[in-house]
Every structure is written in C-alpha cells, then in structure tokens.
Amino acid sequence: MSPRLSWDLVADWEQLTTYPFMVQALEAGAIVAVMAGAIGWFMVLRRQTFAGHTLAVISFPGAAAATLAAIPVAFGYFGACGLGALALAAFGGEERGGRSGESAAIGTLQAFALGLGFLFVGLYGGQLAGLEALLFGTFLGITESQVVTLLCIAVAVLTALAVLGRPLLFASIDGSVARAGGVPIRLLGVVFLLLLGLAVAATAQITGALLVFALLVTPAATAQLITARPGRGLVLSVALAFAVSWLGLGIAYFSPYPVGFWVTSLSFGLYVLARLATSGAGWGARTA
Amino acid sequence: MTEAISLSGAAASRGGSPVWSGVDLAIARGEFVAVLGPNGAGKSTFLDLVLGLLAPSAGAVSVLGQAPRAARPRIGYLPQRRSFDTSTRVRGVDVVRLGLDGARWGLPLPAALSPSARAAAAKVDEVIELVGASAYAERAIGTLSGGEQQRLLIAQALVRDPELLLLDEPLDSLDLPNQSAVAALVQRICRERGVTVVLVAHDVNPILGYLDRVVYFAGGRGVEGPPREVIRADVLSRLYGATIEVVETPSGRLIVVGTPDAGHCTEDHEQVMV
C-alpha cells in the first residue's frame, strides 16, 4: 500500500509515523537540523562556508575508506572530518596569506579528498548504490542507535557553542578588537573548525556528503538575510533547518522523489524568497 | 597621579628587526596626543607595546602606572581598519555591546530577566548617544557609511569607561567633513570624560587645533612635545637625518616637505602630509 496524502493532517501524520524507519528519519532529521542550523549560522557569519564545504567533501573519502576497511562508517566520517578540521586550521594559521591564499589551500585539500574518495570506491568494486548513499544520503536507513549517537553529538556541539558563543561572535566579526580584549581568537578558530567537523560528520551521515549544505548553509544564510540580530538569527536559522528537514521528509514520503531533493529545494526556495523580500522591501527591511 | 603612558629608553622590534629605539616619553592623564610619522615608522608598533601585545626589546613601558598587559582592561582600543563590508549582518548596537562583554564565556541573559543585562544595555545606549549614533545603531553595520561605522567603533572602544583610548588612524578613509566631525568628537570625549586619547594619524591637520602633544616616529627614533615644537624644520630634519621643510599656510595648516619615504609607501600624498 503506497502512502496517500489527504487533507486530514492527523491521518497524514499517522501514516508518516507508521513505520519505525520513518520515525527514526524524523528524529535524526530534527537533531541534525538543530545542530546544523546553529553551527551553520556561525559558519556563514565567519565566511567559512568554503571550509565547511570542504569538510563535507572530506567526509566522503572517510566513509568510503571505512566501508573498504569494513569498520563502522561512522568512524570514517568522524575521523576524516576531525583530521580535515585540523588540516584546515593549519592552513588558516598562515594569516599573512590572506583570504585568497587560504581558500586556494582549502580548494587543494578538497580536490585531493575527492580523488581519494573515488579511489576507495574504485577499490571497493565501484558499487554504485553505496556511492550514491555516501554522496546523497541515507535519510531512510537510520537505525535507533544512530539516532542516539547523533543526539549525544548534537548535545555536545550545542553545549560547546553556548559556552563559546559570545567570544566566538566577537572574534568572528571583530577579530582585532577581540584579540586586544583578551579573546584567544586563534584557539577559538581551531575549536570552531573541530566543532564544525563534528557537526558535518554527523549531518553527512544523514544527508550525504554533497547535500550537507542544504542544512548547514542555506537556513543560516536565509536567517542572516532576514535579521541582523544575533539571537533572533540563530533561532531563525535553527527553525528553518528544522522546518525544511521535516517538510522534506514528509513530502518525500508521499512522493516518488528523494528526500535530499525536497530538503534542498525547500531551503533554496526559502532563500530565494528571503532575497526577493529583502531586496524588494528596500532598506527598511534589510535593517530589521 | 601617575602618567598615562611612560616609556624610558624603550626600543621595539618586530620579527627580529628593530623598528625604533631609545624612545623616552611621558604622556600625562587627560591629554590628547597624536602619534605621527611616515608609514612603517612604528606608530602601530607603539600601540602594540602600550596594549601589551608586544614586549619592548629594551627599556621600560608603563601604562596607567601598571605593566601594559595588566592595564589592558582600562584601555579602549580602536584598531586600524577595518570597515565592515555590506554582507556583515550584525547591528551596530551588537558590535558596541561586544566591546562591553564580548570576551565573556557563556550565554548572555535576556535583559528582561537580569538587572545586570539591563544595566549593560543602558550603558551601550549611553555611549551610542554620546557619539551621536542613535539614529542608525539598530541597522546592520555593513550597510552604514564609513563615518557612521567609525562613530560606532569609537562607542565600542568607550563602552567600558576606559581611562586611556588608543585610536589607530580613525580618520583614515573618512571624507573631510567626517574627519573634522570625528576629531571634534574625540576631543569632546577627552575633555568631558577626562580620558587620555592617543590617536595615530597620517595627517595632523584635522586634529592640530585640539592636540596637547605629538609623538613623532621617523628614522628609527621618536620625539615628543607640543605640536608646534615638534613639527618644525630643525626637529624633523634631525629625526629623519635629511633636510625637511615645514610650511605653514595662512589658515594655519602645517605642510611637511621633503620627507624621505620610510620603506615601501607609494602614496603620493605622503610627501605633503605630516
């Protein structure tokens, strides 16, 4: 029996939560969305979206290597993203090189990571189904224990963000004054990349390496278009990420198209709407 | 009362190469002081020394009667900049607030719940009012003009009631009306609040009328004194080790002619400004 969407929302919700795999997908989607929405807001503010993207790409060879070595894929994700974060921190450490030097170095790392990923997939025998899951996610194949692991990581990341948040905000928008005020900006930068790596590794297991951005960047970028207040922006970013992941899962359940497509389309649509609304409403709205 | 800043036989070096040496100076509390000199002469290095970000390679530095690092909470600092580009989606009032408690760990409580958060918000409003930025402080800082951003950044430097204010080229990149408006604002803060102001400048003229003292770095050395006793042909010629002329225009502007460039500056206006 294929699920059928009706106007009765309660009945729809009951259909949606009939199967455990769907309940776990909703749980995992919610956890990942809240974490990605929060850390993504800082990432967009710090202009580290390229670093975040690179971490996501790095998760692919990590997962592929873990599959090849027949160890749990999670180890591959977290190991690769952890090492990637440290590598990015080392590149970023050469401050004198400036932004362009940094992004070129990050791009090099990204290209190498992709190449490694294809090597591992090739060595494994090039199983296409596995490759697709690594790149575009396995929303519907999440186990109960994966949900628990995700929850622990999300709590850890969000707690760390709550403690570091204010100096991190200071360092992100006003580094030289923060440094003069005694904020350890270099250390914060490294810790932030490690947290980002952790969040990306967790998110990539659900959304796949290439769709991480739907939850990490787009809701945060949309929130920053809508409001310049840090508190509201964070809450909005989390709310948007949560909304697109649940709506995406819900729509995908009743449609023949994959979850990843719906999540990315919804968040992209919201971003475009926010852009149109803020540019159309002129300066008044942009400054809200 | 102890001096705001005193250097005795101080020398500074960066990356092993000396910037200046043998500098003695005493800046009294409440003075408005300009730090002048060509690019690369060590003006920003002087500020780093005062902030305790750099240790002197010789001699002694004392700030507000303390070691520089210990005095840091009593210093307001505005680095060279630094403008926020249009995509910076944070309000001016948030940037000022970060100057108050941005270095503190943990989440801030909402003002509705905590008296100290309300006091902080009131303090932020007070300094924004003081610099005359109330009309645009709620806007995203990236959308503001250079002069508006500079006022908010001065408010940020003032928000902890510093005894010493260090401003690194705050007039750079401002147009002339904004230069004189910001200079007048800084002088008013200096006089009304009794804050010692040390301002690094490229061109002394917008602030010449307000200054108590200048510190002039050039040729690996530094001299200090009242503006018209330092910006003189004989003093600057000795400092640079070359023949320098100082011309005063009928309106009282000072023009320094013949400065050899220290290092790699290519701006042609360097030749005619102090």
Side-chain angles (χ1 to χ4, degrees):
Chain A
M1 187 191 79
S2 75
R4 197 173 291 252
L5 193 60
S6 72
W7 289 107
D8 181 355
L9 289 175
V10 178
D12 291 343
W13 178 254
E14 274 168 6
Q15 282 189 70
L16 201 56
T17 52
T18 307
Y19 301 103
F21 80 84
M22 207 51 209
V23 175
Q24 277 143 20
L26 288 167
E27 286 170 354
I31 296 166
V32 157
V34 170
M35 174 170 62
I39 201 151
W41 187 85
F42 280 101
M43 183 186 76
V44 170
L45 191 77
R46 293 172 65 82
R47 283 142 216 233
Q48 288 190 313
T49 50
F50 193 45
H53 186 210
T54 302
L55 284 173
V57 168
I58 288 172
S59 74
F60 162 57
T67 313
L68 188 63
I71 56 171
V73 188
F75 288 133
Y77 277 108
F78 291 115
C81 287
L83 286 176
L86 290 177
L88 290 177
F91 283 154
E94 299 155 19
E95 271 175 69
R96 297 273 168 236
R99 284 266 168 246
S100 58
E102 191 180 329
S103 61
I106 294 174
T108 325
L109 191 65
Q110 191 180 106
F112 178 60
L114 263 181
L116 271 186
F118 282 118
L119 171 70
F120 295 146
V121 169
L123 288 176
Y124 191 63
Q127 269 202 5
L128 216 62
L131 178 63
E132 200 178 303
L134 291 184
L135 292 179
F136 298 105
T138 50
F139 259 105
L140 305 181
I142 299 155
T143 63
E144 192 122 10
S145 71
Q146 263 183 307
V147 173
V148 174
T149 313
L150 277 178
L151 186 64
C152 295
I153 290 163
V155 168
V157 168
L158 291 174
T159 308
L161 273 186
V163 173
L164 304 178
R166 197 162 25 168
L168 186 63
L169 178 68
F170 199 7
S172 304
I173 62 176
D174 210 358
S176 43
V177 181
R179 189 172 75 106
V183 176
I185 58 171
R186 289 289 302 278
L187 182 66
L188 268 182
V190 175
V191 171
F192 178 74
L193 278 172
L194 283 171
L195 288 175
L196 187 60
L198 203 56
V200 164
T203 311
Q205 291 178 54
I206 312 299
T207 61
L210 296 184
L211 297 185
V212 170
F213 259 36
L215 294 177
L216 207 59
V217 178
T218 324
T222 312
Q224 291 195 12
L225 278 178
I226 293 172
T227 176
R229 289 169 182 263
R232 285 189 197 175
L234 260 170
V235 171
L236 188 59
S237 174
V238 167
L240 287 173
F242 175 73
V244 296
S245 69
W246 270 32
L247 278 175
L249 280 166
I251 297 172
Y253 187 72
F254 294 106
S255 84
Y257 308 111
V259 183
F261 164 73
W262 288 114
V263 172
T264 45
S265 305
L266 285 170
S267 52
F268 179 67
L270 284 172
Y271 178 74
V272 170
L273 277 180
R275 272 216 95 108
L276 288 175
T278 50
S279 63
W283 292 102
R286 292 197 61 159
T287 57
Chain B
M1 195 143 87
T2 54
E3 275 134 358
I5 300 174
S6 83
L7 267 63
S8 55
S13 57
R14 269 195 199 277
S17 51
V19 182
W20 40 253
S21 59
V23 174
D24 295 288
L25 62 87
I27 293 168
R29 301 262 186 143
E31 280 189 322
F32 188 172
V33 183
V35 179
L36 306 168
N39 281 357
K43 295 173 299 207
S44 295
T45 303
F46 171 68
L47 292 192
D48 281 355
L49 222 65
V50 174
L51 282 166
L53 294 174
L54 184 73
S57 51
V61 177
S62 152
V63 179
L64 299 166
Q66 287 180 295
R69 201 171 274 273
R72 202 154 69 178
R74 298 156 69 195
I75 302 175
Y77 170 53
L78 190 149
Q80 194 171 7
R81 34 185 129 192
R82 141 195 187 239
S83 62
F84 298 94
D85 70 51
T86 47
S87 64
T88 307
R89 297 290 298 157
V90 173
R91 295 173 304 165
V93 62
D94 298 316
V95 174
V96 176
R97 175 67 186 263
L98 283 171
L100 185 66
D101 56 13
R104 219 174 290 162
W105 308 102
L107 285 177
L109 280 170
L113 296 179
S114 127
S116 68
R118 271 199 299 281
K123 183 74 215 172
V124 168
D125 286 345
E126 181 208 319
V127 289
I128 287 174
E129 183 82 47
L130 178 72
V131 301
S134 305
Y136 43 79
E138 296 282 322
R139 289 201 229 150
I141 195 154
T143 63
L144 302 177
S145 74
E148 290 168 339
Q149 290 187 13
Q150 201 61 279
R151 281 167 193 272
L152 284 164
L153 291 171
I154 290 172
Q156 185 201 48
L158 281 172
V159 74
R160 295 176 76 165
D161 286 325
E163 295 163 59
L164 172 63
L165 195 55
L166 303 181
L167 309 171
D168 198 350
E169 306 217 3
L171 305 181
D172 228 35
S173 79
L174 296 184
D175 55 20
L176 278 174
N178 265 313
Q179 283 193 3
S180 47
V182 169
L185 169 68
V186 170
Q187 194 226 12
R188 185 159 62 83
I189 290 161
C190 175
R191 294 289 177 262
E192 284 177 9
R193 307 215 142 196
V195 181
T196 311
V197 176
V198 174
L199 186 152
V200 174
H202 217 81
D203 177 7
V204 74
N205 286 306
I207 45 173
L208 188 59
Y210 306 126
L211 291 175
D212 298 308
R213 187 184 291 273
V214 301
V215 180
Y216 204 115
F217 287 104
R221 283 174 303 151
V223 291
E224 60 140 347
R228 292 192 188 266
E229 285 175 27
V230 172
I231 308 171
R232 274 192 349 213
D234 57 331
V235 176
L236 293 186
S237 295
R238 232 178 300 133
L239 195 59
Y240 278 101
T243 309
I244 307 287
E245 286 178 89
V246 176
V247 181
E248 186 165 351
T249 67
S251 62
R253 292 170 69 87
L254 292 177
I255 297 172
V256 176
V257 186
T259 55
D261 263 341
H264 45 274
C265 177
T266 54
E267 297 163 73
D268 40 88
H269 66 259
E270 185 81 24
Q271 293 297 319
V272 292
M273 286 177 176
V274 173

